[in-house]
Amino acid sequence: MTNGIGSPGTATHAQVLAVVVSYCGGSKVAETVRALVGQVGRVLVVDNGSDPNSLKVLRLLQSDGLAMVLELGENKGLGFALNIGARKALEWEYAWLLTMDQDSIVDATMVQSMLQLARRTPGLRCVSPNIVVHGHPPESLRSGPVDYAITSGNLLHTDVWRLAGPFNEDYFIDCIDFDFSLRARAQGFEIHKDPQALLHHELGQRVEVRRPLERFYTQHSALRRYYMFRNFLFLAKTHGLREPKFIGKLLIAHILLALLIIFYEPQLKRNLRFIVRGVLDFMRHRSGVYRV
C-alpha cells in the first residue's frame, strides 16, 4: 500500500494512519472509530486482549470495512500497541500517525485542522488538539508550542517516531506520552497546539472537586495509581537534569494528587498501598507490567 510519504507542506488526510489502542472498550471503541472514518486514510485498532463482547464489536467494525483490527490476545501495554501502529504506518507508507485512546472522539474537523496547521507551518511535525474533558470545553484554547502532547489525538509525522525512538514499552501505561514528547523535543521537534482542533476525551471517572484543584484529580483504579507514581519517578530519573522545570511542575501535580486522594478517594487504603508499591518497584528498578 502506497500513500505517498510527503513533506508536512503537502500533508493530506489520505497520508494519515489512525491507531486506536483498545482494551475492553465495548461500544466506546465503535464511537471512536466511526468519528475517524473519512478524516484519515485508514483506521487501525490494536487490541490488548479485550473481553469477548468487546472483540465482537471490533470484528463487526472490521467486517463493515471501517477499521483493520489486530488482536494481540493479551494486554501488552499501551507503548507496545502504539509501536505496532507506528511500524505499520512505515510499512504501509503513511506519512502521519494519529494516536488515539478508545474513549476519545475527534471533532468533525479535528484532523483536517491539524493538517492545515502542519501545511502552513514549516518544519512542524507534531500537532495536538485542545481537549474537551467530560463535555466541559477548556476555558481558553491553547495555541502554539507546548511542552507535551497527550497520547490521544496526537498527530505526528513518522520522522518523529523514527528519530525520537519508539514509545516506552517499559512504562506499560502512564507517562508514555510525557516521555515521548520530551524525547521528541530533545531531537528538535516542536509540539504545537491547534486552537481550532478539539478532541472529546474521558479521563478516568469524573468527581466533583473544588476549583482550581479539579484539574489535578480524577478517580482511577488503584492499579493505575501504581503506574502513575512509579512511572513518574522513572520519568524524573531519565529527564530530570535536562527538563528540570517540566519535571518540577509534574512533581507538584503528583504531590497535589496524593493529597487529593486522601480527601476524595473512596478506596483510600487500597490506593495508598498501590502507590507505595509503585515507589518501591521504582527503587527495585522494576518496570513493565505490574507483578504481584
Side-chain angles (χ1 to χ4, degrees):
M1 178 181 294
T2 302
N3 296 284
I5 293 180
S7 68
T10 60
T12 67
H13 81 280
Q15 296 175 337
V16 180
L17 175 68
V19 178
V20 180
V21 180
S22 67
Y23 176 69
C24 300
S27 61
K28 288 183 179 180
V29 187
E31 295 177 38
T32 298
V33 169
R34 292 181 188 281
L36 287 165
V37 173
Q39 292 204 51
V40 299
R42 192 175 193 179
V43 180
L44 171 67
V45 179
V46 182
D47 183 70
N48 262 326
S50 286
D51 59 81
N53 288 335
S54 296
L55 288 176
K56 184 177 179 180
V57 172
L58 296 181
R59 291 164 185 168
L60 184 60
L61 289 171
Q62 182 162 257
S63 65
D64 288 344
L66 300 179
M68 178 178 179
V69 179
L70 293 179
E71 299 179 21
L72 300 183
E74 61 180 301
N75 193 347
K76 292 181 174 292
L78 178 63
F80 186 93
L82 289 174
N83 285 329
I84 286 179
R87 293 184 182 102
K88 287 297 182 182
L90 290 172
E91 178 186 340
W92 295 336
E93 298 186 10
Y94 285 93
W96 295 86
L97 181 71
L98 177 69
T99 58
M100 293 289 300
D101 290 344
Q102 65 185 10
D103 54 3
S104 299
I105 308 294
V106 300
D107 205 52
T109 59
M110 189 194 88
V111 179
Q112 175 186 349
S113 178
M114 292 196 295
L115 288 171
Q116 288 175 345
L117 179 60
R119 285 196 292 268
R120 64 177 183 262
T121 309
L124 182 58
R125 283 170 165 76
C126 189
V127 188
S128 176
N130 278 270
I131 310 299
V132 177
V133 180
H134 296 300
H136 292 280
E139 294 180 358
S140 61
L141 298 177
R142 299 188 65 182
S143 176
V146 293
D147 289 337
Y148 70 94
I150 69 167
T151 298
S152 199
N154 187 20
L155 179 69
L156 61 132
H157 197 276
T158 52
D159 284 349
V160 181
W161 185 84
R162 288 191 301 103
L163 294 173
F167 295 98
N168 195 327
E169 297 179 12
D170 287 339
Y171 283 9
F172 194 78
I173 191 172
D174 282 306
C175 290
I176 292 172
D177 42 14
F178 293 145
D179 174 71
F180 187 82
S181 295
L182 294 178
R183 286 190 284 117
R185 289 201 291 108
Q187 290 294 323
F189 295 106
E190 282 193 344
I191 303 169
H192 277 234
K193 280 277 188 183
D194 179 359
Q196 306 302 320
L198 295 179
L199 177 76
H200 302 268
H201 185 58
E202 292 184 13
L203 186 63
Q205 184 175 337
R206 187 182 172 193
V207 177
E208 293 297 331
V209 179
R210 291 183 179 181
R211 293 187 177 185
L213 296 175
E214 59 183 1
R215 60 179 292 203
F216 296 103
Y217 180 80
T218 305
Q219 198 171 101
H220 286 287
S221 69
L223 183 58
R224 281 295 299 275
R225 302 296 191 202
Y226 165 86
Y227 289 116
M228 287 177 181
F229 283 83
R230 184 199 71 176
N231 290 352
F232 164 68
L233 293 172
F234 280 119
L235 187 80
K237 180 181 178 181
T238 302
H239 300 282
L241 292 178
R242 190 175 65 246
E243 294 279 355
K245 185 177 178 181
F246 180 86
I247 296 299
K249 288 181 179 179
L250 209 54
L251 173 61
I252 293 172
H254 277 72
I255 292 172
L256 286 172
L257 173 59
L259 293 173
L260 290 170
I261 286 172
I262 293 173
F263 285 102
Y264 290 99
E265 178 55 53
Q267 297 184 356
L268 176 58
K269 290 183 179 180
R270 180 173 173 80
N271 272 254
L272 293 179
R273 187 162 60 248
F274 271 80
I275 290 171
V276 170
R277 288 178 183 175
V279 173
L280 291 176
D281 277 358
F282 163 75
M283 296 172 67
R284 296 166 181 150
H285 308 289
R286 289 182 181 176
S287 58
V289 67
Y290 170 76
R291 297 183 295 272
V292 179

